[in-house]
Amino acid sequence: MSLLGKLEADVEIKAPADKFHEVFSCRPHHVNTMSPDKIHGVDLHQGDWGKEGTVITWNYNHDGVKKTAKQIVEAIDDKNNSTTFRVIDGDLMKEYKDFTAIVQATPQPSGDGSVVHWTFIYEKLNHQIPDPATLLEFAVHLSKDIDANLTQTQAQT
């Protein structure tokens, strides 16, 4: 069994891909208002919102436990609506030597809604560490919360 792993999941949403992408690329500090039961805050440590190289900390509740993840925004691809985060500190580093999360939103061919694709690329510290399947499920549910907020806001305008 390898220590290296990759998990992926897709979730269909009603919001436009560019609006969903904007949340993770430029406004992650708004996610706690979109999903307050999962995200308690997002703090800026270095850099500027919406810029590659920015360092942020997510305060979140996963599996009933309050956790933190300090991440660097490695890449923002506005053309492909993709943002890449690499974890550099926090609770995930207790189990993983390396952990990267990529979130990409792609417009549906019909023009109605989008598909959010999550990719986790990681290296476990040892063979006893489970794959981050529950964290991927968390990301899928978080996407649905953000979608609900974006489509509600869109309907009000």
Side-chain angles (χ1 to χ4, degrees):
M1 182 188 322
S2 173
L3 295 176
L4 298 174
K6 181 178 181 179
L7 288 179
E8 298 179 85
D10 288 328
V11 58
E12 291 187 13
I13 63 170
K14 295 179 179 120
D18 61 335
K19 296 295 182 197
F20 186 89
H21 168 65
E22 183 183 312
V23 171
F24 281 98
S25 66
C26 299
R27 300 184 299 125
H29 54 295
H30 292 184
V31 174
N32 62 309
T33 62
M34 298 176 175
S35 186
D37 61 321
K38 294 176 186 66
I39 305 296
H40 304 290
V42 181
D43 301 316
L44 179 68
H45 286 280
Q46 179 182 329
D48 296 308
W49 298 116
K51 304 288 184 194
E52 292 177 354
T54 296
V55 177
I56 60 177
T57 297
W58 294 81
N59 298 291
Y60 62 102
N61 189 356
H62 174 239
D63 288 341
V65 178
K66 288 186 177 183
K67 298 182 179 182
T68 63
K70 190 174 190 178
Q71 301 176 326
I72 185 165
V73 179
E74 283 200 328
I76 298 173
D77 182 345
D78 292 330
K79 182 180 179 200
N80 293 306
N81 296 317
S82 174
T83 306
T84 302
F85 300 95
R86 184 172 48 88
V87 179
I88 56 174
D89 197 9
D91 291 288
L92 287 171
M93 295 290 94
K94 295 174 185 173
E95 297 181 330
Y96 301 94
K97 181 179 178 181
D98 190 42
F99 197 99
T100 299
I102 303 164
V103 56
Q104 181 177 17
T106 305
Q108 291 277 29
S110 66
D112 187 31
S114 311
V115 175
V116 175
H117 183 78
W118 284 94
T119 306
F120 290 170
I121 303 166
Y122 53 91
E123 182 177 355
K124 298 186 264 188
L125 290 175
N126 62 58
H127 292 292
Q128 285 71 43
I129 303 296
D131 291 326
T134 63
L135 189 61
L136 187 61
E137 184 178 318
F138 172 90
V140 166
H141 290 289
L142 179 63
S143 299
K144 292 177 182 179
D145 289 349
I146 293 168
D147 178 47
N149 181 276
L150 290 173
T151 54
Q152 177 184 4
T153 302
Q154 192 175 24
Q156 292 174 352
T157 56

